[in-house]
């Protein structure tokens, strides 16, 4: 901990700061970005700070202070003194905010993915951390963390740990969460709102996925699929599908869960989770995906649904057989 740069040192004399994150921002990405944003506006005077994240953003996170200030793709050619990149291990996943990152005088990346490609001027990266928000917490002065900042960081931690259920959860994770809880946040409400609460339509679609799911690999792998027609029927978008892969993973005796939903132009987004021994990030790497040992994702382009499923299941089946 003594070698970690603190935020005062990172910011130095910066008068303008951009904060960016990966495509399809999740709770950890949004929480890390807004956690940094709130800490800076609470403790540093005279700094112009702006968050750029891909929209539309999940509405369940709108309770976080600064959510309504998030921008995306503003063509203002602004050059920032410093750009923070959070929860993103590769330049290619910055998409529209890449210009702000690349043109900044300095850049600092905070990330916990296995495939960080060392693309920033400086960084704080730890693949053993449960969430990027846990790492943001490390660089802050604990005494100066406001309730609003704590809400953001706590949200990122619970969403990336499945409310402390995933194997990435450590003693340090729990200690960090406890300190954030002591800031007076309504942690019970945050957990319900961001992790458990779903709309009626989301629950209907979840029911359909469960009814139509199938077991493969000697019942060690479960597959759930949502087509574009399904999303149109229920009036839902891809941002409303969070949590389905974790739900089907809870099936007894299953080691791996694959959740696939249809995008445009014969492409599919796949989220994969494992319980114990299957390294799912290695499954998606050949297709340009990334993530963690037990949680990974990938976009499979120019494939039929059957080919997308076959590509993933073939590798997973081999890994399961090798282990057993």
């Amino acid at each position: 901990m003594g070698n970690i740069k603190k935020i005062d040192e990172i910011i130095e004399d910066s008068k303008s700061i951009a904060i960016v994150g990966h495509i399809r921002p999740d709770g950890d990405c949004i929480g890390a970005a807004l956690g940094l944003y709130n800490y800076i506006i609470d403790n540093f005077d005279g700094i112009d700070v702006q968050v750029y994240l891909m929209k539309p953003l999940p509405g369940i996170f709108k309770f976080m202070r600064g959510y309504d200030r998030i921008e995306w793709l503003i063509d203002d050619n602004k050059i920032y003194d410093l750009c923070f990149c959070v929860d993103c291990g590769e330049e290619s996943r910055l998409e529209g905010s890449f210009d702000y990152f690349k043109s900044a005088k300095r850049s600092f990346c905070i990330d916990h993915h296995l495939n960080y490609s060392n693309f920033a001027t400086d960084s704080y990266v730890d693949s053993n951390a449960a969430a990027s928000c846990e790492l943001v917490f490390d660089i802050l002065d604990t005494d100066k963390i406001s309730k609003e900042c704590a809400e953001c960081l706590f949200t990122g931690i619970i969403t990336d740990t499945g409310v402390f259920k995933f194997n990435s959860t450590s003693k340090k994770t729990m200690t960090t969460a406890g300190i954030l809880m002591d800031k007076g946040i309504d942690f019970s409400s945050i957990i319900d709102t961001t992790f458990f609460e779903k709309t009626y339509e989301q629950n209907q679609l979840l029911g359909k996925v469960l009814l139509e799911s199938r077991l493969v690999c000697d019942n060690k792998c479960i597959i759930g699929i949502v087509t574009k027609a399904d999303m149109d029927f229920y009036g839902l978008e891809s941002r409303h599908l969070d949590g389905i892969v974790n739900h089907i993973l809870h099936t007894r005796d299953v080691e791996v869960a694959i959740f696939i939903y249809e995008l445009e132009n014969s492409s599919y987004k796949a989220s994969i989770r494992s319980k114990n021994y299957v390294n799912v990030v290695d499954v998606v790497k050949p297709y340009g995906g990334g993530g963690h040992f037990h949680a990974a994702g990938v976009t499979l382009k120019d494939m039929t649904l059957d080919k997308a499923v076959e590509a993933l299941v073939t590798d997973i089946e081999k890994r399961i057989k090798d282990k057993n």
Side-chain angles (χ1 to χ4, degrees), residues 18 22 24 35 39 54 69 75 83 97 170 172 179 182 205 237 248 275 280 282 291 302:
H22 61 70
R24 299 186 186 89
Y39 187 91
M54 184 175 180
R69 298 289 305 276
D75 187 18
C83 183
S97 58
S170 65
K172 178 174 176 285
I179 294 171
D182 282 346
L205 183 57
E237 301 175 10
I248 62 176
K275 290 179 180 175
V280 294
D282 282 351
D302 301 319

Side-chain angles (χ1 to χ4, degrees), residues 205 208-210 212-214 216 221-231 238 241-246 248 256-263 266-273 283-284 287 296-301 303-314 316:
L205 183 57
K208 186 176 189 299
V209 172
L210 292 172
E212 298 178 356
S213 63
R214 51 195 171 104
V216 295
C221 176
I222 188 168
I223 303 172
I225 296 170
V226 167
T227 66
K228 190 71 170 60
D230 292 332
M231 287 189 276
S238 58
L241 306 180
D242 289 347
I244 292 180
V245 66
N246 296 322
I248 62 176
V256 179
I258 304 173
F259 174 59
I260 298 179
Y261 62 86
E262 187 177 6
L263 304 171
S266 300
S267 297
Y268 295 87
K269 171 69 176 178
S271 297
I272 311 179
R273 302 290 185 269
V283 174
V284 302
Y287 308 99
V298 63
T299 299
L300 299 167
K301 299 179 179 180
M303 288 187 183
T304 64
L305 177 59
D306 287 343
K307 285 293 184 183
V309 171
E310 180 184 1
L312 299 174
V313 169
T314 300
I316 289 170

Side-chain angles (χ1 to χ4, degrees), residues 145-156:
I145 295 177
S146 66
K147 176 184 175 182
E148 290 78 12
C149 176
E151 287 175 338
C152 300
L153 299 182
F154 183 83
T155 299

Side-chain angles (χ1 to χ4, degrees), residues 22-32 53 57-58 61 64 87 112-113 156 159-160 242:
H22 61 70
I23 57 175
R24 299 186 186 89
D26 56 7
D28 189 31
C29 181
I30 299 171
L53 296 176
L57 300 171
F61 302 117
M64 288 191 254
D87 199 37
H112 71 132
H113 292 92
T159 53
D160 246 29
D242 289 347

Side-chain angles (χ1 to χ4, degrees), residues 135-153:
L135 301 179
V136 171
F137 175 87
D138 288 344
I139 70 170
L140 306 183
D141 183 335
T142 304
D143 293 335
K144 295 181 180 179
I145 295 177
S146 66
K147 176 184 175 182
E148 290 78 12
C149 176
E151 287 175 338
C152 300
L153 299 182

Side-chain angles (χ1 to χ4, degrees), residues 168-281:
S168 58
T169 304
S170 65
K171 177 182 177 181
K172 178 174 176 285
T173 307
M174 301 299 286
T175 301
T176 300
I179 294 171
L180 296 173
M181 289 166 64
D182 282 346
K183 296 294 181 177
I185 66 175
D186 188 349
F187 58 88
S188 179
S189 176
I190 292 174
I191 292 171
D192 284 341
T193 300
T194 62
F195 200 82
F196 293 112
E197 190 177 86
K198 304 295 180 186
T199 66
Y200 178 69
E201 291 77 15
Q202 284 176 299
N203 281 331
Q204 284 189 309
L205 183 57
L206 172 61
K208 186 176 189 299
V209 172
L210 292 172
L211 282 171
E212 298 178 356
S213 63
R214 51 195 171 104
L215 293 167
V216 295
C217 305
D218 292 328
N219 298 336
K220 294 294 184 182
C221 176
I222 188 168
I223 303 172
I225 296 170
V226 167
T227 66
K228 190 71 170 60
D230 292 332
M231 287 189 276
D232 291 342
F233 180 83
Y234 290 105
L236 299 174
E237 301 175 10
S238 58
R239 61 194 173 95
H240 298 125
L241 306 180
D242 289 347
I244 292 180
V245 66
N246 296 322
H247 200 105
I248 62 176
L249 182 63
H250 293 156
T251 305
R252 182 177 294 173
D253 297 327
V254 160
E255 164 62 18
V256 179
I258 304 173
F259 174 59
I260 298 179
Y261 62 86
E262 187 177 6
L263 304 171
E264 304 289 345
N265 304 320
S266 300
S267 297
Y268 295 87
K269 171 69 176 178
S271 297
I272 311 179
R273 302 290 185 269
S274 67
K275 290 179 180 175
N276 298 301
Y277 53 84
V278 173
N279 184 346
V280 294
V281 74

Side-chain angles (χ1 to χ4, degrees), residues 16-20 48-52 80 82-85 100:
S16 60
I17 297 174
I19 303 171
V20 302
D48 172 23
V49 56
Q50 179 61 56
V51 179
Y52 296 98
Y80 287 89
L82 172 65
C83 183
F84 281 104
C85 171
Y100 296 108

Side-chain angles (χ1 to χ4, degrees), residues 1 7 68 92 94 111 121 196 233 245 311:
M1 294 294 291
I7 193 165
D68 59 342
S92 60
L94 290 174
D111 185 50
T121 306
F196 293 112
F233 180 83
V245 66

